[in-house]
Amino acid sequence: MLPDNIANQIAAGEVIQRPASAVKELLENAVDAGATEIQLFIKDAGKELVQVIDNGSGMSETDARMCFERHATSKIQSIDDLFHIRTMGFRGEALASIAAVSQVELKSRMHTEEIGTFIEIDNSFVKRQEPCQTAVGTSIAMKNLFFNVPARRNFLKSNAAEMRHIVDEFIRVALAFPHLQFSLNSNGQQMFHLEKGSLKQRVIAILGQHYNSKLVTVKESTDYMNINGFVGKPETAKKTRGDQFFFVNNRFIKSGYLHHAVMNAFAEMIPAENYPLYVLFIDLDPAHIDINVHPTKQEIKFDDEKILYAFVQSAIKHALAQFSVTPALDFELDPGIQQLDAVTQPFTEQKKAQSANTSIYKTFMHANQAHVIDQASNLRHWKDLYEGPPAPEKPTHAHTETASVIDERWQEAATDHKVPVQVHQQFILSQIKSGFILVDQRAAHERILYERYQRALAEKPMATQQSLFPQTLELLPADAIIISEMLPDLQALGYDLEPFGQHTFVVRGTPADIQTGNEQASIEGLLEQFKHFSNELKLSRREKLVRSMARNNAIPPGRSLDTREMQNIIDELFACSTPNVSPGGRFTFISFKLNDLERMFERGA
């Protein structure tokens, strides 16, 4: 049988993955304790210290000792309690896991007691327990995370990256409980001080004062569930994620399904690649959900997701129309908005059959996906070209799919001047001696920019285009940390940025190839792409930055190109060291050989 301390370390691997995991658990315990003031102290991005001090109910001497035992919790008394959970924590794993991978000091006192309890734990073993003088409530300090598991400590990311995760967890808990006071101090500096107030005041305090007049209230109630909160007006939508929050029974959750419902509600009001702000709280009977499906409790199951989808989408559409944010909407076309029958009435077998014909249901059915290609057709690669221009009589540009002969054949054809053709504003068709090539304009431009930015970081910094009127850029706290960490590399890539107060930067210049006046969108897009690459653990920070810049600034599908722009893309692509694929591994072009075309049209028969 495993010793308790080793068993705890194994269990801790699921619960405490990084300092932010401990922050979440300790803040939620403070909320469950009935605290009205909660302070969070961080040192060295949580690697040296995570401390939470609250003025909650405190613990008796017995409870203070028992709380570090595995599955010791006072929040569950019977099996039925598992299906009616209203507290944030309930499994009794958090403190045992924290004590297994760090050095812990706890002080706690109940208001009925004159003296409190002090406990010191090291690697799950109690080193000291004694009475102490302390304020009512609990102070718990987690020091030297993973000191006894050095391999796991080595997997922690940079301080800036770990601090971003901590700020994310802090914001999620603070948004869920606006009636409580929260503060966050990092390395002796105060990052947040959030007074008690309304949800709107809390949203503005965290996300920025500029949202004060740009929030739309969402509020709908039925017998099955309630929803309240805010969405941002369409003009506040950004290219970066980060302003999206879903809470179910005050618990932050991640749900791509419900996010899709919000995006559908904003359809045709914001660009497809933008994300609206939303802070939405769904309240329903805990019997309808299962939150015990993931160690972090951020992923939950609903007994009927379709009802939630329709309810969320309808409530947001209703709110946007009510506040005259959108053009007049014909609610008669959508019975889900008009009467909310799917929510207010039982979901019978007859209604299930009816729902199969709705657009919501069809959207998620394979046969109705617009992007599904007819796999039975052997000629599917040629469908996009059937309206293209007829093949010229004499191919002149030379190229084959073999990288080693690309440059030789391309130079051989450089004296000819055949005009490339754009196909559906996505591809560039150009002749070569053996047939023709079809270039993906975005993938090709991404490869060109990627190698250009790599050279800028390794050899010569890029030119900066100074802005006539510098812009002030206010970011989310987590995004501000990302930008601060990347400032030296951003300057080498042509950005002229300076910190300007908390979470704010002044943009004085951008790379010369970025259109003037597009500074904010450029940086927001860069941030979004950087977050996209954040899960690629094998990539260095610089590599993520270069790939993000290339993807963000590449020519998008749907943009018309003139002849010179198309020729430049072709010429620059084949001057690259690796012209065949984009940085992400997609083909930049496909070769079509003349003899294959002749066979296809049975010319040889």
Side-chain angles (χ1 to χ4, degrees):
M1 186 172 179
L2 285 172
D4 284 347
N5 65 316
I6 297 177
N8 286 347
Q9 282 186 17
I10 294 171
E14 289 190 350
V15 182
I16 308 300
Q17 299 168 346
R18 56 180 3 125
S21 308
V23 167
K24 173 184 182 294
E25 300 291 351
L26 295 179
L27 289 176
E28 289 181 349
N29 277 346
V31 170
D32 283 343
T36 59
E37 297 178 6
I38 301 173
Q39 303 173 70
L40 172 62
F41 296 90
I42 302 294
K43 285 185 181 178
D44 195 22
K47 299 170 187 175
E48 182 181 337
L49 173 70
V50 172
Q51 182 177 20
V52 172
I53 301 175
D54 69 65
N55 65 346
S57 59
M59 289 182 282
S60 66
E61 181 180 359
T62 302
D63 285 347
R65 178 67 178 261
M66 284 293 295
C67 73
F68 292 103
E69 298 295 327
R70 290 178 65 195
H71 310 304
T73 177
S74 60
K75 300 171 186 178
I76 297 293
Q77 304 297 329
S78 68
I79 191 66
D80 289 339
D81 292 342
L82 277 176
F83 304 103
H84 300 87
I85 291 169
R86 287 285 184 183
T87 55
M88 301 303 291
F90 56 88
R91 288 195 294 241
E93 295 174 300
L95 294 182
S97 297
I98 289 171
V101 292
S102 67
Q103 297 161 328
V104 178
E105 291 183 0
L106 170 76
K107 294 180 180 179
S108 189
R109 176 166 78 90
M110 302 174 67
H111 74 278
T112 56
E113 303 291 335
E114 293 185 0
I115 199 161
T117 302
F118 172 82
I119 296 178
E120 182 181 353
I121 295 180
D122 192 328
N123 193 18
S124 294
F125 295 104
V126 177
K127 293 179 64 179
R128 191 157 53 117
Q129 178 174 347
E130 60 191 28
C132 72
Q133 290 288 341
T134 187
V136 172
T138 300
S139 168
I140 182 165
M142 179 193 79
K143 300 179 179 180
N144 302 320
L145 180 63
F146 300 140
F147 79 99
N148 53 348
V149 197
R152 291 195 59 194
R153 189 176 178 91
N154 290 337
F155 274 94
L156 294 177
K157 296 185 180 179
S158 67
N159 280 7
E162 294 299 341
M163 197 62 206
R164 288 201 308 272
H165 289 288
I166 289 172
V167 168
D168 284 343
E169 295 293 356
F170 175 83
I171 286 174
R172 291 163 184 171
V173 178
L175 280 174
F177 300 97
H179 59 285
L180 307 182
Q181 182 186 105
F182 288 89
S183 65
L184 168 57
N185 288 266
S186 174
N187 295 331
Q189 292 186 333
Q190 188 172 81
M191 294 185 67
F192 290 95
H193 182 79
L194 305 172
E195 293 289 351
K196 307 170 188 177
S198 66
L199 176 59
K200 184 174 184 179
Q201 289 171 326
R202 182 59 53 88
V203 170
I204 292 169
I206 289 175
L207 300 184
Q209 189 64 36
H210 57 286
Y211 284 118
N212 192 23
S213 60
K214 297 180 180 179
L215 296 177
V216 175
T217 302
V218 178
K219 191 173 180 63
E220 297 282 353
S221 298
T222 69
D223 291 339
Y224 184 78
M225 71 183 87
N226 303 322
I227 185 171
N228 72 89
F230 298 96
V231 294
K233 293 180 180 179
E235 64 265 27
T236 66
K238 298 179 181 178
K239 288 188 176 182
T240 57
R241 296 182 181 94
D243 293 350
Q244 294 78 39
F245 300 89
F246 259 119
F247 298 87
V248 173
N249 294 350
N250 266 29
R251 184 188 303 279
F252 173 80
I253 68 160
K254 295 179 180 178
S255 172
Y257 189 72
L258 294 183
H259 173 75
H260 192 279
V262 177
M263 296 300 287
N264 263 359
F266 275 90
E268 299 180 5
M269 285 184 274
I270 62 175
E273 68 276 8
N274 283 19
Y275 302 90
L277 174 150
Y278 58 81
V279 181
L280 296 171
F281 291 78
I282 295 172
D283 188 59
L284 74 166
D285 187 334
H288 293 301
I289 61 176
D290 182 2
I291 60 176
N292 197 26
V293 297
H294 192 271
T296 66
K297 302 184 281 291
Q298 288 183 4
E299 298 174 15
I300 66 177
K301 288 184 179 179
F302 302 95
D303 60 0
D304 198 326
E305 285 188 321
K306 291 176 184 173
I307 287 183
L308 264 80
Y309 188 102
F311 183 68
V312 169
Q313 182 177 340
S314 300
I316 294 174
K317 282 189 174 182
H318 187 209
L320 292 172
Q322 195 173 22
F323 284 82
S324 302
V325 169
T326 68
L329 299 176
D330 186 354
F331 292 109
E332 293 182 0
L333 296 177
D334 191 341
I337 298 177
Q338 186 181 22
Q339 298 294 337
L340 289 174
D341 286 345
V343 180
T344 59
Q345 297 181 12
F347 200 54
T348 62
E349 291 298 323
Q350 180 183 359
K351 289 187 176 182
K352 285 183 181 179
Q354 292 172 348
S355 72
N357 293 319
T358 65
S359 60
I360 292 174
Y361 183 86
K362 288 181 178 180
T363 299
F364 292 94
M365 295 303 292
H366 182 81
N368 288 277
Q369 296 277 347
H371 64 269
V372 173
I373 298 172
D374 179 9
Q375 298 295 330
S377 172
N378 292 326
L379 301 178
R380 60 184 180 275
H381 294 300
W382 300 90
K383 287 183 178 180
D384 289 341
L385 297 174
Y386 73 95
E387 292 180 344
E393 294 179 6
K394 290 196 325 186
T396 55
H397 282 174
H399 175 66
T400 71
E401 61 268 45
T402 307
S404 60
V405 296
I406 285 172
D407 190 60
E408 177 187 344
R409 294 204 176 184
W410 199 256
Q411 294 300 328
E412 181 184 341
T415 56
D416 298 314
H417 298 286
K418 291 296 183 182
V419 176
V421 176
Q422 191 175 25
V423 181
H424 291 296
Q425 297 181 327
Q426 296 186 61
F427 306 99
I428 302 169
L429 187 148
S430 182
Q431 292 183 88
I432 58 174
K433 285 185 177 180
S434 61
F436 67 89
I437 59 170
L438 196 62
V439 178
D440 182 326
Q441 67 186 43
R442 181 184 182 117
H445 196 216
E446 199 174 320
R447 163 55 62 181
I448 293 165
L449 293 177
Y450 173 78
E451 295 200 9
R452 186 183 300 169
Y453 296 148
Q454 276 194 323
R455 288 192 298 272
L457 288 179
E459 303 166 10
K460 185 179 179 182
M462 294 183 65
T464 298
Q465 178 178 242
Q466 293 298 324
S467 302
L468 191 59
F469 301 102
Q471 289 191 12
T472 301
L473 187 64
E474 186 173 349
L475 301 173
L476 292 172
D479 289 346
I481 294 171
I482 294 175
I483 293 294
S484 297
E485 186 181 24
M486 297 191 302
L487 269 180
D489 289 337
L490 285 172
Q491 288 165 354
L493 291 169
Y495 282 99
D496 185 356
L497 289 171
E498 289 182 12
F500 188 69
Q502 199 173 36
H503 320 318
T504 306
F505 294 83
V506 174
V507 186
R508 302 190 185 278
T510 53
D513 56 357
I514 292 178
Q515 185 179 354
T516 305
N518 206 29
E519 294 87 348
Q520 181 165 344
S522 168
I523 293 174
E524 287 179 355
L526 171 62
L527 278 167
E528 173 57 27
Q529 292 301 335
F530 191 85
K531 293 175 189 175
H532 170 79
F533 287 118
S534 290
N535 293 328
E536 298 284 343
L537 297 179
K538 62 182 180 294
L539 300 180
S540 67
R541 189 189 69 209
R542 275 194 164 191
E543 178 70 10
K544 291 175 189 174
L545 175 58
V546 170
R547 289 197 184 194
S548 301
M549 284 273 291
R551 182 173 294 186
N552 185 54
N553 296 331
I555 296 170
R559 177 176 155 186
S560 296
L561 303 176
D562 61 32
T563 302
R564 193 178 76 170
E565 288 175 318
M566 287 187 280
Q567 193 62 57
N568 284 343
I569 286 178
I570 293 171
D571 292 341
E572 290 189 51
L573 175 64
F574 291 106
C576 290
S577 60
T578 312
N580 304 67
V581 292
S582 72
R586 291 187 298 118
F587 287 118
T588 56
F589 69 93
I590 300 175
S591 298
F592 298 91
K593 295 185 177 181
L594 194 58
N595 55 359
D596 290 336
L597 293 175
E598 290 172 344
R599 257 199 317 274
M600 190 170 292
F601 286 98
E602 301 179 345
R603 292 273 293 273

